[in-house]
Amino acid sequence: MPEQFRKSIIFAFGNDESGAMKIFKFGGGILQKADDVSKIPGILGMFPGEPLLVVISAFGKTTNAIEELIASKFDRDGVPGEILNRIIAYHREIFKDLFKEDNLETQNQLESLITDFKSAVSDSPTTNFAEYYDSVVGYGELLSSLAVHHAIRQAGMDSEWVDVRQVLKTDSTFRDARIDWEASRKNCDKIIKPLIDKKKRPVIVTQGFIASDQQEHPTSLGREGSDYTAAIFANLLDAGSVIIWKDVPGILNADPKHFPQAVKLDEISYAEATELAYYGAKVIHPKTIKPLQNKNIPLYVRPFLSPGEPGTMIHANVPAGQYIPSFIFKSNQALISISDRDLSFVNEQMFSDVFGMLTKFSIHMNLVQNSALTLTFCIDDHPNLNEMLTELHKRYSVRYNQALELITIRHFNEKAVEHVLRGREVLLEQQNRTVVQYVIR
Ligand code: ASP
Ligand code: MG
């Protein structure tokens, strides 16, 4: 087969001519109502004969609502009842629209999950906040994945629903748990692989974002972590490819909300995807790439609403020099400049003080630069900012600006720079061969 032709086949269908397993992820933004869920079986039908593991994240803004619920429960302000009822009603509505009332199995499973959810919420949060959070937050995923599983069955396909907490094991860093790869691999072999072998064309439906620790306590992988879950499964199962279905045509070179002329990137490298995510492009969860890169598994970001389109392919062999400029806009930035009161030069002690302070207050640094007398850094504005500034002020003279924007352009050119800076005031600029960044007002 001519190489060019082969490449376009791989581009459209993944690197698994052998029929290796595919991992799909559907989530949040694209699944808000029953109609959205109903589209999933059709998409699975486009991949006949291939084993599929489908990772689902919570419907719509459910995780945000559960976070509100948890916060109010923890503060004991009495509001959780109302928020809880709203979340439950939202899911009952979706189930009602999807399934007939005489579908007793589905109804019973939904009600029993709701009962578990209520009891998890009402458990008094005796433990720390993060542990309580993780015991409740995963119900968004448990409920949504149950709906998807039954929708697939209703469409006449076989589906197995798997509680991911039985499979993926983590340490006990609640809300930001680290995967225990060995234990998870063993569970995959024990629980997932037999389901793959058992049937001709199995679909396995499970949850993103959540897992459990050694003591079987629920854990979570960090907000938006479902993409990462898909990548973990791909690694553990040696999948042929991963497809993340999204509400955009693929990975774009800018957020279309900021930049109406945004265009789709057809093909980018693992490194490029990691860099874009690092600078704040909301494409995929930053942790997603590594487990795939380690096993050279291609990742596709494809449009849920035009599932025949190829989207963006992320893989290893992207020829250098083919990139167009990508723009990443981060708002709500603070720029801080400190200098020694005796006009001493900027030295290592000053860097050490600043980084120590950022670590102490859990503030992420986006950019740093120094001159002889001043050390300047840009951070996401943060509730702890004032406290940190007060501490810095004890030793240094401090100046700062808030409400700024950080613009990162990867693979910049003159035209791109001119375009984003038109009419803006640049407070700080930093550039290397590939990337230029501006802090602007
Ligand atoms: N539902 C979780 C969240 O909103 C996980 C995810 O969407 O990936 O953070
Ligand atoms: Mg979500």
Side-chain angles (χ1 to χ4, degrees):
M1 187 186 295
E3 180 53 23
Q4 210 184 343
F5 189 51
R6 205 187 90 87
K7 202 171 146 203
S8 64
I9 288 188
I10 291 178
F11 187 76
F13 299 107
N15 193 14
D16 47 352
E17 289 154 285
S18 59
M21 178 144 213
K22 278 190 163 62
I23 314 291
F24 286 1
K25 184 248 165 172
F26 299 95
I30 57 169
L31 303 180
Q32 311 208 13
K33 49 190 190 317
D35 269 357
D36 306 327
V37 178
S38 309
K39 294 196 174 80
I40 292 180
I43 293 180
L44 306 189
M46 291 165 52
F47 301 85
E50 295 170 39
L52 300 176
L53 183 132
V54 178
V55 173
I56 302 294
S57 74
F59 288 145
K61 299 253 178 274
T62 301
T63 307
N64 291 357
I66 300 181
E67 282 193 345
E68 269 176 60
L69 167 74
I70 292 166
S72 63
K73 172 77 188 180
F74 216 75
D75 299 341
R76 296 195 170 75
D77 68 358
V79 194
E82 187 247 323
I83 308 174
L84 179 63
N85 290 339
R86 192 156 38 88
I87 298 169
I88 292 172
Y90 171 55
H91 286 87
R92 284 215 176 101
E93 182 74 20
I94 293 180
F95 274 76
K96 194 177 90 194
D97 292 346
L98 281 171
F99 310 111
K100 294 198 185 71
E101 258 162 55
D102 59 3
N103 185 335
L104 281 185
E105 189 198 350
T106 307
Q107 284 310 323
N108 291 342
Q109 286 180 8
L110 170 63
E111 290 311 318
S112 112
L113 205 48
I114 289 175
T115 308
D116 292 351
F117 183 22
K118 284 180 175 163
S119 95
V121 172
S122 68
D123 274 350
S124 31
T126 46
T127 45
N128 66 60
F129 177 82
E131 187 171 352
Y132 177 73
Y133 175 103
D134 276 359
S135 70
V136 175
V137 77
Y139 281 92
E141 271 68 19
L142 291 163
L143 287 160
S144 62
S145 63
L146 188 70
V148 170
H149 159 70
H150 284 292
I152 295 169
R153 283 201 167 173
Q154 186 166 262
M157 286 179 230
D158 267 324
S159 171
E160 297 279 349
W161 185 88
V162 171
D163 184 338
V164 77
R165 295 169 300 180
Q166 314 271 298
V167 185
L168 296 187
K169 301 306 283 185
T170 64
D171 69 4
S172 302
T173 314
F174 297 104
R175 299 191 71 182
D176 189 23
R178 304 291 131 103
I179 287 289
D180 177 341
W181 289 93
E182 261 331 290
S184 303
R185 191 177 309 281
K186 278 194 193 125
N187 289 337
C188 245
D189 290 347
K190 204 170 71 198
I191 298 167
I192 304 289
K193 290 220 172 126
L195 296 174
I196 301 172
D197 297 338
K198 206 172 79 185
K199 294 183 184 163
K200 271 216 219 82
R201 200 283 209 218
V203 177
I204 298 159
V205 176
T206 195
Q207 306 79 40
F209 176 50
I210 54 173
S212 70
D213 71 4
Q214 270 192 345
Q215 291 76 41
E216 310 293 329
H217 298 143
T219 56
S220 69
L221 307 175
R223 286 299 309 266
E224 309 302 328
S226 298
D227 297 343
Y228 181 42
T229 304
I232 295 165
F233 272 115
N235 182 297
L236 293 173
L237 292 162
D238 292 306
S241 62
V242 175
I243 304 180
I244 295 179
W245 298 92
K246 292 206 104 179
D247 57 358
V248 283
I251 294 182
L252 306 182
N253 74 330
D255 182 342
K257 276 181 225 131
H258 276 87
F259 213 75
Q261 317 84 312
V263 294
K264 180 176 74 84
L265 304 169
D266 293 338
E267 213 183 338
I268 64 175
S269 67
Y270 293 122
E272 184 67 15
T274 308
E275 294 282 358
L276 288 171
Y278 177 81
Y279 287 117
K282 294 200 177 54
V283 280
I284 33 179
H285 192 281
K287 284 186 181 170
T288 310
I289 300 299
K290 197 164 163 248
L292 301 177
Q293 187 170 17
N294 287 349
K295 290 213 166 162
N296 207 7
I297 300 168
L299 167 65
Y300 299 80
V301 176
R302 289 179 58 166
F304 184 61
L305 292 176
S306 317
E309 300 289 318
T312 298
M313 180 189 196
I314 301 156
H315 64 138
N317 310 313
V318 179
Q322 73 160 37
Y323 289 111
I324 61 166
S326 286
F327 302 84
I328 303 130
F329 300 81
K330 270 189 139 189
S331 54
N332 205 18
Q333 298 293 302
L335 187 68
I336 298 152
S337 294
I338 63 168
S339 39
D340 193 277
R341 290 222 174 82
D342 314 324
L343 298 183
S344 303
F345 291 138
V346 169
N347 59 17
E348 289 69 22
Q349 184 58 50
M350 227 157 141
F351 274 93
S352 162
D353 286 345
V354 165
F355 282 103
M357 216 69 97
L358 292 170
T359 309
K360 175 172 163 198
F361 290 103
S362 306
I363 297 178
H364 177 70
M365 156 96 78
N366 291 324
L367 197 154
V368 59
Q369 202 171 75
N370 72 291
S371 68
L373 298 176
T374 308
L375 172 60
T376 300
F377 56 99
C378 176
I379 58 176
D380 296 338
D381 205 341
H382 195 281
N384 293 341
L385 179 64
N386 278 334
E387 215 181 319
M388 184 179 84
L389 293 177
T390 310
E391 286 215 21
L392 280 172
H393 194 71
K394 289 180 191 156
R395 261 169 278 174
Y396 300 105
S397 76
V398 179
R399 284 172 301 134
Y400 68 96
N401 291 98
Q402 284 168 290
L404 303 175
E405 192 167 19
L406 172 65
I407 300 185
T408 305
I409 314 177
R410 289 186 56 73
H411 312 290
F412 61 93
N413 58 33
E414 221 174 286
K415 201 165 141 240
V417 169
E418 192 201 293
H419 185 89
V420 293
L421 294 188
R422 204 169 298 145
R424 311 294 296 264
E425 179 194 351
V426 176
L427 279 71
L428 188 79
E429 172 179 347
Q430 199 167 79
Q431 172 177 333
N432 66 24
R433 264 174 297 179
T434 320
V435 183
V436 61
Q437 294 189 286
Y438 299 98
V439 179
I440 60 172
R441 180 150 38 198

